[in-house]
Amino acid sequence: MPVPPLVAIVIPVFNEEAVLPALLTRLTAIFAAQPDCTWRALLVDDGSRDRSADLARAQTAGDARFELVELSRNFGFQSALAAGLARAHAIAADAVVTMDSDLQDPPELIPQLVAAWRGGAEVVRATRRSRAERGLRRAGFDLFHAVFGQLIDYPIEPNTGTFGLIGRHALAAFQQMPERHRFFPGLRAWVGFPSTDVLYDRQERAAGQPQQSFGRLMRYALDGLFSFSYLPLRVLTYAGFVISGLGFALALFFVVRRLLGIEIAQVGFTTLITVVTFLGGVQLIGIGVLGEYLGRIYDEVKQRPVYLVKPTHPESPPR
């Protein structure tokens, strides 16, 4: 008889005590209904300050299909995801499902992702047909997906996020990318391989509050932009050419008027201040963009680990 494929589910967890029991129950039901796969749920606790790690630990104690990976502190969602992918690679998973822990991505879609993978796709994207968020948060997500794809150098399918599946070859490719500022959808698009989409409707959170603050989401968006696009640098170059051309044209205009003996009105204080302020603003923006790229280069050069994992069995203190 053929050996059932090992499918690992990587789930970063941060302060999800209110949602975790329902997530574990729904995953257990999926595992029972899909006996043709060997399942392993990798719960990566990203330094939770509530009882999330305790709930996950209790689940692993009673069900060997669940495993807890505890990080030493809160490193952020992308680092926790990288830790889960590394663990999935270590246990030689044939396919890896990546998803959030807040139940906005329904676990019941996992069998469809696995079926698409078995149909020959190495990368399966869960594409949002609709989403339940409202208000400013929803507007920000819509704006990001509408604009981001036009700015980056590698095409990324709109309305996709972490939720999806990657096969063994794509997983091995991920382990060859050691960068610190990670943008998972961009990396998933960059590795290539045959891919397909599975449509679904993104739900509201099952309970609790979103753990990703506006500031973290903004940094995440900037990581995606600066990791996969040179457009900000190109825009500065184009702006420099345009401003230089306008300055040269203006200087030529005044020289011609002087040579022709045409009276030249004195440039007023307001005009001078406006020009200086405009050029100063452009320069500061340019310095800021260069600083974003330089800061990321600095982080890469330091070669610090993306995450640190707590030891499963702490060593005894020295005597």
Side-chain angles (χ1 to χ4, degrees):
M1 293 182 61
V3 178
L6 174 57
V7 179
I9 306 175
V10 173
I11 310 174
V13 177
F14 178 64
N15 292 344
E16 294 291 3
E17 177 183 354
V19 179
L20 205 53
L23 172 63
L24 298 176
T25 299
R26 290 166 68 172
L27 286 175
T28 302
I30 292 171
F31 297 166
Q34 302 289 325
D36 56 342
C37 291
T38 301
W39 297 96
R40 183 71 62 85
L42 304 175
L43 307 171
V44 185
D45 182 69
D46 189 23
S48 296
R49 294 184 290 271
D50 61 3
R51 296 181 56 251
S52 295
D54 294 334
L55 293 174
R57 195 177 294 109
Q59 181 73 20
T60 61
D63 192 337
R65 295 171 298 184
F66 290 82
E67 180 179 337
L68 174 63
V69 179
E70 285 190 82
L71 303 189
S72 62
R73 64 169 177 83
N74 178 246
F75 286 89
F77 181 87
Q78 292 297 311
S79 296
L81 189 62
L85 292 175
R87 179 57 185 160
H89 186 258
I91 64 175
D94 296 297
V96 180
V97 175
T98 54
M99 62 180 296
D100 295 339
S101 58
D102 54 13
L103 291 179
Q104 288 188 280
D105 300 327
E108 290 74 18
L109 194 70
I110 292 175
Q112 296 184 42
L113 301 178
V114 174
W117 166 66
R118 284 177 157 173
E122 183 70 12
V123 174
V124 184
R125 297 178 296 262
T127 303
R128 304 177 188 114
R129 188 165 38 208
S130 65
R131 58 190 312 153
E133 292 99 339
R134 295 292 182 268
L136 184 60
R137 193 178 183 88
R138 169 64 181 272
F141 282 132
D142 289 343
L143 179 63
F144 173 77
H145 287 290
V147 175
F148 184 73
Q150 308 299 321
L151 301 180
I152 58 175
D153 298 327
Y154 298 97
I156 297 178
E157 291 296 322
N159 297 314
T160 59
T162 302
F163 197 24
L165 179 147
I166 58 175
R168 177 185 296 177
H169 300 294
L171 177 62
F174 266 88
Q175 303 314 302
Q176 300 178 44
M177 295 183 284
E179 55 226 64
R180 272 68 183 159
H181 295 273
R182 305 173 72 87
F183 181 70
F184 181 78
L187 296 176
R188 184 176 58 193
W190 185 88
V191 299
F193 297 109
S195 60
T196 189
D197 295 278
V198 173
L199 299 178
Y200 77 107
D201 299 304
R202 186 170 172 84
Q203 307 299 316
E204 292 184 350
R205 283 182 60 89
Q209 298 296 322
Q211 300 301 322
Q212 293 289 343
S213 64
F214 179 79
R216 285 194 172 191
L217 291 174
M218 181 60 70
R219 287 194 295 271
Y220 183 52
L222 291 178
D223 283 342
L225 176 61
F226 291 117
S227 296
F228 290 94
S229 177
Y230 297 110
L231 183 61
L233 294 174
R234 296 191 186 109
V235 168
L236 290 176
T237 302
Y238 300 151
F241 279 118
V242 171
I243 294 173
S244 297
L246 291 175
F248 177 78
L250 184 61
L252 183 62
F253 171 75
F254 284 120
V255 169
V256 171
R257 287 177 64 93
R258 170 77 63 155
L259 293 176
L260 296 177
I262 302 174
E263 183 67 25
I264 302 176
Q266 295 295 324
V267 178
F269 178 78
T270 302
T271 304
L272 180 62
I273 291 298
T274 301
V275 172
V276 171
T277 303
F278 172 74
L279 293 178
V282 171
Q283 291 174 340
L284 289 176
I285 293 173
I287 292 173
V289 171
L290 293 175
E292 289 288 344
Y293 282 100
L294 184 60
R296 283 161 172 74
I297 294 172
Y298 180 58
D299 286 340
E300 298 296 333
V301 169
K302 286 187 292 188
Q303 290 292 301
R304 290 177 182 170
V306 178
Y307 57 84
L308 295 173
V309 179
K310 287 184 180 179
T312 306
H313 301 287
E315 299 179 357
S316 300
R319 298 179 179 179

